[in-house]
Amino acid sequence: MGKSNIHIIDIPLEELENMEEMFFRQIQMERRRVMKKFSQQYNATRHQVMSGVAAEGMFRSVKIEKRDEENIYLEGGTLISSRMLSELFKSSDEIIVCAMTLHGYDQLEAESDDNLITLFLDGWGTAAAECGHVWMKEQIRGMMEKKGRYLTSSWSPGQHNIDIKLQKEVFELLQPEEIGMELTDSFMMHPKKSISSFIGIGSDENAGKIRACDFCERRETCPSAYV
């Protein structure tokens, strides 16, 4: 399968929106309490992540050749076996496959021997990954809308009714090893703060109104809900 349409992009942490809000949601502590009691740790871990971590992503589009209730058949022979995705992408004629990761975060976490610092680092790391993934999707959205094309929401392996084993197809289509990502035998990604997803492309401008969180019973308590 030709891969000339793979795009690799640097994700600028300093331009990401809502990182601070996401940080507080992830650590599940009120801003007021943190800034009153733990402002030193807050500032130190924020600086560590913003200065010591780099975010990088990649994506490509692949045409859908046909679809049935259980499967999506992509140009080049890749099969996406998922009833959920087949339904969600019923108005799409292409799929964008995405992956992004944080370089340097795992080392920061490994060097921490303080539980509070580790918690704050984890909060900043997750915030950077989630917001970085959103930033990348918005870049893709802008590219597509200039062509009169529209995106569905993104859907990740392991999300509601989407088999985590589809990570294998993500790695086959993208080969994100090129940006330092690895997939374990249990379909977990490394580095730790990595995200992959599928996005449908088509002519339906309302396709993005359905979101993964709409289907999840944890949406009221999940700190990453509707990010």
Side-chain angles (χ1 to χ4, degrees):
M1 181 183 297
K3 298 181 179 178
S4 59
N5 66 339
I6 289 181
H7 302 269
I8 298 177
I9 56 175
D10 293 325
I11 300 172
L13 295 184
E14 67 278 3
E15 294 183 15
L16 302 186
E17 298 181 355
N18 303 318
M19 257 189 70
E20 189 174 38
E21 177 185 349
M22 176 61 68
F23 164 78
F24 288 111
R25 291 174 66 183
Q26 292 299 323
I27 66 170
Q28 299 184 25
M29 294 173 66
E30 293 183 358
R31 176 194 297 267
R32 182 175 59 181
R33 180 189 175 201
V34 170
M35 301 313 292
K36 182 178 180 179
K37 299 183 65 175
F38 308 117
S39 61
Q40 182 178 355
Q41 293 90 338
Y42 167 90
N43 289 319
T45 53
R46 184 183 188 280
H47 176 74
Q48 281 182 281
V49 170
M50 297 301 290
S51 63
V53 168
E56 190 174 20
M58 63 192 307
F59 64 92
R60 66 172 300 199
S61 62
V62 187
K63 290 183 179 180
I64 296 174
E65 291 193 332
K66 62 178 181 177
R67 182 188 62 82
D68 57 36
E69 289 186 357
E70 300 284 345
N71 303 289
I72 300 171
Y73 301 84
L74 300 182
E75 182 180 52
T78 298
L79 173 66
I80 305 294
S81 183
S82 171
R83 175 182 288 269
M84 186 76 168
L85 290 180
S86 184
E87 173 64 21
L88 292 166
F89 295 163
K90 63 184 179 183
S91 63
S92 302
D93 50 42
E94 292 181 71
I95 285 180
I96 286 185
V97 189
C98 302
M100 66 81 60
T101 193
L102 298 186
H103 302 299
Y105 171 81
D106 289 9
Q107 181 178 354
L108 288 179
E109 186 182 67
E111 292 172 351
S112 172
D113 58 2
D114 179 283
N115 289 338
L116 183 63
I117 293 295
T118 300
L119 173 65
F120 280 21
L121 286 173
D122 184 71
W124 284 119
T126 300
E130 295 280 5
C131 295
H133 185 236
V134 171
W135 182 91
M136 186 166 68
K137 289 188 293 183
E138 289 307 308
Q139 307 311 301
I140 298 169
R141 187 184 310 281
M143 293 168 54
M144 292 297 111
E145 288 185 352
K146 288 178 181 179
K147 302 176 182 180
R149 308 278 284 159
Y150 300 95
L151 305 184
T152 68
S153 294
S154 61
W155 303 82
S156 296
Q159 240 175 358
H160 184 79
N161 285 343
I162 300 174
D163 197 332
I164 195 171
K165 293 180 181 179
L166 287 177
Q167 296 283 32
K168 181 179 178 182
E169 279 66 36
V170 171
F171 273 68
E172 287 178 353
L173 289 164
L174 272 184
Q175 294 188 357
E177 294 89 348
E178 189 169 346
I179 61 170
M181 294 176 64
E182 298 178 354
L183 189 66
T184 70
D185 292 339
S186 57
F187 304 100
M188 302 301 292
M189 292 182 292
H190 289 285
K192 183 177 181 180
K193 300 299 185 183
S194 299
I195 298 175
S196 65
S197 62
F198 297 103
I199 305 171
I201 313 175
S203 56
D204 181 4
E205 59 184 305
N206 295 313
K209 291 184 177 180
I210 300 174
R211 303 186 64 175
C213 297
D214 297 336
F215 296 86
C216 182
E217 61 185 18
R218 293 184 60 242
R219 61 184 176 274
E220 299 300 328
T221 57
C222 175
S224 298
Y226 294 104
V227 62

